[in-house]
Amino acid sequence: MTRPPSDDATPSFMRMLGELPAFALHPGWFGTAHDLARGRDGKGRAVLVLPGFLASDMLTARLRHTIEAAGYRAHGWDLGVNQGISAEVFDALLRRIDALPAPLSLVGWSLGGLYARELAKRRPGAVDRVVTLGSPFSGDLHMNRAWKLYEWINHHPIDEPPVPIDLAVKPPMPTFALWSAQDGIVAPAASRGLAGEADHVIEVPCRHMDFVSAPVALTAVLDALEA
């Protein structure tokens, strides 16, 4: 009898390979966005969307379009490719938050969610909620398939970033942790968190790359923004 994988284990190599075709399997997403957004009214509230590791605003376009269709003002991070944690990017994002109208919601995919949680702690008066999508904010930061590449690119240990952070400490506003048992990059336990590390823990049946494209994930993000 085959033992099922533990949700606190790094996803298997085969599960990681299953992430590769994710974007190609969600065609016609512009029409889907308006279907998902029907009946919602974000009243123009600003939402800042932060991309994952080695991703840019281009890969969060589907998510931002869906958020816009629901009546919010969705903003990309405008910082090119997210190569990792740096003091320069952190400061630039703080300035961006200061320039956007409050209350502001932060939506962060994977590494972008780690940025979102820490930024929200620095700007509690400006941020009204944090939504993380498959973000490994809990436990050992090596419980994912990207940490070796991260260290090779950034020249610092993944658990010793150049910015003081404490990922497990919850920001002082409502937090929504979207996680998936099907995640092929991040261990599910790392993005789900322990009791007290997030206010709302929401399982989404999708792969890691699906968090910014699959209708079920886009719906979960809209629900979190609306809650």
Side-chain angles (χ1 to χ4, degrees):
M1 180 176 178
T2 303
R3 182 179 178 181
S6 170
D7 71 355
D8 63 355
T10 301
S12 69
F13 180 73
M14 292 305 295
R15 177 164 285 181
M16 180 184 70
L17 288 181
E19 295 281 346
L20 296 180
F23 287 105
L25 298 181
H26 304 296
W29 60 276
F30 278 102
T32 300
H34 290 283
D35 290 340
L36 297 177
R38 188 172 293 115
R40 301 178 187 267
D41 183 6
K43 303 185 185 303
R45 190 169 83 236
V47 180
L48 179 59
V49 179
L50 308 178
F53 180 48
L54 298 185
S56 67
D57 289 332
M58 181 178 70
L59 291 186
T60 65
R62 300 181 184 188
L63 173 58
R64 286 183 286 109
H65 181 74
T66 303
I67 292 171
E68 286 270 352
Y72 300 90
R73 294 297 302 274
H75 302 268
W77 83 330
D78 292 342
L79 291 171
V81 175
N82 185 352
Q83 297 186 37
I85 300 289
S86 74
E88 293 77 15
V89 171
F90 200 88
D91 290 342
L93 287 171
L94 286 175
R95 292 193 297 271
R96 186 146 175 73
I97 289 173
D98 292 340
L100 290 172
L104 168 70
S105 299
L106 299 181
V107 176
W109 174 35
S110 199
L111 177 61
L114 305 189
Y115 264 119
R117 283 175 65 97
E118 295 304 310
L119 291 164
K121 297 172 192 176
R122 269 74 163 184
R123 293 294 187 270
V127 176
D128 72 342
R129 75 192 63 205
V130 175
V131 184
T132 57
L133 316 177
S135 300
F137 63 85
S138 182
D140 189 344
L141 281 173
H142 299 88
M143 290 162 46
N144 63 79
R145 277 279 169 184
W147 72 268
K148 290 182 180 179
L149 180 59
Y150 178 97
E151 292 188 346
W152 183 75
I153 291 174
N154 289 279
H155 308 295
H156 65 251
I158 195 169
D159 50 4
E160 295 179 17
V163 177
I165 61 176
D166 192 347
L167 295 175
V169 174
K170 193 189 84 64
M173 67 285 297
T175 57
F176 300 78
L178 277 56
W179 69 281
S180 175
Q182 302 172 27
D183 199 313
I185 305 295
V186 174
S191 55
R192 186 180 62 234
L194 300 173
E197 293 180 346
D199 295 300
H200 307 278
V201 179
I202 303 152
E203 183 176 4
V204 182
C206 69
R207 294 165 297 191
H208 190 80
M209 300 300 287
D210 289 330
F211 274 115
V212 291
S213 59
V216 66
L218 301 178
T219 296
V221 173
L222 292 182
D223 288 346
L225 291 173
E226 198 173 57

